Amino acid sequence: MPARALPGFREFYPEEISLRNHIFAAWRNVARRYGFEEYDGPPLEPLELYTEKSGPEIVGQLYEFVDKGQRRVALRPEMTPTLARMVGARAASLKKPIRWYSIPQLFRYERQQRGRLREHFQLNMDIIGEPGPLADAEIIGAAIDVQRALGLGPEDVRVRISDRRVLRCLLLGAGVPEEDLTATFMAIDRVGRVQNVAELIEKALEHAPEDRTAIAKRVLEIASIRDRGRLEKALGDVGAGSVAEGLLDCLDALRAMGFEEFVDLDLSIVRGLAYYTGIVFELFDAQQSLRAICGGGRYDGLLGALGGADLPAVGFGMGDVVLGELIKEKNLLPSKRAALDVFIVAVTGADMPEVLALARELRDAGIAVEYPLRLQSVAKQLKLAAAREARWAVMVGPDERSEGKVLLRDLASGSEEKVGREALLQRLGTVTAGK
Ligand code: HAM
């Protein structure tokens, strides 16, 4: 037995690739309808692209090694730093706002668990060059429309939205020292995932002079805000009402777009990546029994930090793994369509040249055709045709050839008729035209 596939890496047998293709088709369809252009980058990158900007969670999961030229390299664990570099390098000549999408395969050396593998495909949609909240709403709207395109509604998928600018303000007001903000963000990011969040928050408050337990309690209260009323009151208390303008405008825009039913305000959403600066969001299955389907947000400092043009940006990454699980769970798998239109049966060896010529003609007309690659009994050929779920068998035998016709059998009904070449093409062509 040859060596097995590595843990966390998938083999896509035809049944599985059809689900993957279904997801990719929905991704491309939505990207097209939103006017996004496709790009791609290298799967292998200099290690430093991630060590500086991505944050400890991803860096701890890198597939990294030294290549034969003694370069420290990593398989890409995410697309955003590559995108930021590519746009930064040509920023002057690109028409803003830039709307780009990509479907990279990504690699993370994670502990393998449900919904988390060591490779996955991820739809990335990003808008670069627009700081206003309509760009955030557009990006979140696209993520929601992918769910809708796959048959998932607000009872299946929820979008949870927050804003790091707002959270930062509230945390400072609650007594979290500026130096401990990042660590506190990362602790809040664990809300709902681990039991001991209060403890994690206390640990994060390294520089707090006063009672850490009391501050941690206030932090947890802030993270539990789920509605506008409480948010506005909390901001009023610290005299920072206007900091939530972007978030509230984004929520209003999503309502105007008709997506309100999908959306929940949720101040416990922070995101694990280091580069986010504003609105952040995640999509989850409504039962929250699976990992996140999608995550994204605004990262206005990343392009500048990578040495390119200092442009604001917002986007998301949506993986194929959890989405695939949800589609299966909700029985939303696409109905299987017969891949093969026609199986041509050669009645005798002498019919083979005619079979080959006919196959070529039908394939040129866009029809999916198979024929036996070695001479077999008619019964065996028909068995193979049935196994392939072909719609028709076209029989070519000495009698048919002498008449200049073929025998067309509908494999579902069993009905047969003799037809000439032209009539055959017309029949098959019109039935397969909509494919
Ligand atoms: P992320 O939250 O690390 O964000 O990943 C986004 C999504 O990719 C997750 O919600 C999940 O669906 C999928 N995903 C991540 N890791 C795995 C894994 N090991 N196995 C299966 N699926 C996984 C980012 O990567 C950001 N760069 C997204 C972004 C784009 N932000 C702005 N633009």
Side-chain angles (χ1 to χ4, degrees):
M1 191 68 188
R4 290 187 192 187
L6 290 167
F9 284 79
R10 294 169 289 177
E11 293 173 313
F12 291 91
Y13 284 83
E15 313 81 272
E16 287 125 24
I17 211 112
S18 75
L19 173 58
R20 186 174 107 182
N21 286 342
H22 178 59
I23 292 172
F24 281 23
W27 284 352
R28 288 188 188 286
N29 175 299
V30 171
R32 183 190 62 76
R33 286 193 279 132
Y34 275 71
F36 279 60
E37 284 181 293
E38 188 167 3
Y39 71 98
D40 200 357
L44 195 65
E45 289 278 19
L47 177 66
E48 63 183 357
L49 186 62
Y50 308 109
T51 46
E52 295 293 305
K53 309 293 171 229
S54 291
E57 197 173 311
I58 279 198
V59 169
Q61 298 166 347
L62 282 173
Y63 267 93
E64 50 161 311
F65 57 95
V66 177
D67 77 1
K68 289 177 181 168
Q70 303 309 310
R71 295 175 201 91
R72 298 198 68 194
V73 295
L75 285 172
R76 60 185 175 192
E78 60 156 335
M79 198 61 174
T80 313
T82 301
L83 169 68
R85 183 191 60 209
M86 285 172 66
V87 169
R90 297 226 181 135
S93 62
L94 294 165
K95 182 82 195 140
K96 265 70 81 190
I98 297 157
R99 302 158 78 93
W100 279 9
Y101 84 98
S102 189
I103 305 182
Q105 188 172 22
L106 306 177
F107 304 88
R108 297 182 188 182
Y109 198 90
E110 295 211 45
R111 197 167 56 79
Q112 197 186 326
Q113 49 189 305
R114 187 161 183 225
R116 282 290 174 276
L117 302 173
R118 290 182 176 168
E119 57 71 29
H120 70 282
F121 290 92
Q122 193 188 81
L123 169 67
N124 278 250
M125 290 180 77
D126 292 85
I127 296 179
I128 298 173
E130 175 49 59
L134 278 187
D136 304 65
E138 176 87 335
I139 279 292
I140 296 169
I144 294 173
D145 263 334
V146 170
Q147 314 307 306
R148 295 177 64 232
L150 290 166
L152 295 161
E155 62 293 347
D156 304 310
V157 175
R158 308 296 311 164
V159 184
R160 296 157 67 193
I161 304 184
S162 182
D163 189 324
R164 281 196 181 181
R165 290 165 293 201
V166 173
L167 190 61
R168 181 192 146 82
C169 212
L170 291 175
L171 293 181
L172 290 174
V176 174
E178 177 97 44
E179 308 92 290
D180 296 338
L181 268 179
T182 307
T184 309
F185 276 178
M186 292 307 134
I188 295 176
D189 187 51
R190 313 304 295 167
V191 169
R193 301 180 209 206
V194 294
Q195 296 291 322
N196 60 337
V197 179
E199 233 173 86
L200 290 181
I201 295 173
E202 278 188 48
K203 246 194 223 153
L205 296 169
E206 229 180 285
H207 301 87
E210 52 161 316
D211 186 357
R212 288 180 191 172
T213 312
I215 302 177
K217 204 167 153 238
R218 291 202 288 274
V219 169
L220 275 175
E221 239 163 65
I222 291 165
S224 75
I225 290 176
R226 299 286 180 275
D227 63 84
R228 274 190 190 218
R230 259 185 82 194
L231 176 65
E232 276 161 5
K233 169 151 192 331
L235 285 170
D237 290 349
V238 293
S242 64
V243 76
E245 260 172 28
L247 176 61
L248 297 179
D249 286 353
C250 173
L251 291 172
D252 287 342
L254 286 166
R255 183 190 304 152
M257 292 158 109
F259 293 138
E260 192 184 15
E261 283 178 300
F262 279 90
V263 174
D264 300 316
L265 175 70
D266 185 337
L267 257 60
S268 71
I269 295 296
V270 185
R271 308 270 302 128
L273 290 156
Y275 46 67
Y276 293 112
T277 54
I279 286 179
V280 278
F281 64 94
E282 288 189 333
L283 272 67
F284 285 89
D285 65 296
Q287 276 72 47
Q288 275 205 56
S289 60
L290 306 169
R291 306 286 304 257
I293 296 169
C294 169
R298 180 163 280 287
Y299 51 101
D300 286 349
L302 186 60
L303 275 88
L306 284 173
D310 193 10
L311 288 171
V314 57
F316 69 75
M318 185 187 300
D320 65 329
V321 181
V322 176
L323 207 49
E325 282 184 13
L326 193 58
I327 288 169
K328 280 193 256 174
E329 200 177 290
K330 301 278 175 188
N331 282 323
L332 292 169
L333 287 164
S335 57
K336 210 177 153 224
R337 259 195 326 208
L340 196 65
D341 300 315
V342 171
F343 193 99
I344 310 180
V345 173
V347 179
T348 68
D351 301 315
M352 217 51 215
E354 181 73 15
V355 167
L356 297 178
L358 182 60
R360 149 95 202 245
E361 202 176 325
L362 295 181
R363 285 170 175 165
D364 277 358
I367 297 162
V369 176
E370 185 178 339
Y371 53 82
L373 296 176
R374 60 167 56 222
L375 196 62
Q376 290 173 321
S377 70
V378 169
K380 265 202 168 161
Q381 293 183 49
L382 286 173
K383 250 192 186 162
L384 183 54
R388 298 282 201 247
E389 299 181 28
R391 289 189 62 182
W392 293 283
V394 171
M395 323 272 218
V396 179
D399 293 350
E400 287 82 13
R401 276 194 290 127
S402 66
E403 291 169 52
K405 294 194 165 172
V406 295
L407 186 65
L408 176 65
R409 181 188 288 182
D410 182 325
L411 288 173
S413 66
S415 65
E416 291 185 342
E417 64 177 305
K418 266 196 184 166
V419 291
R421 274 294 244 299
E422 229 163 79
L424 177 73
L425 261 172
Q426 229 175 17
R427 277 283 302 278
L428 302 184
T430 47
V431 180
T432 54
K435 280 179 69 163

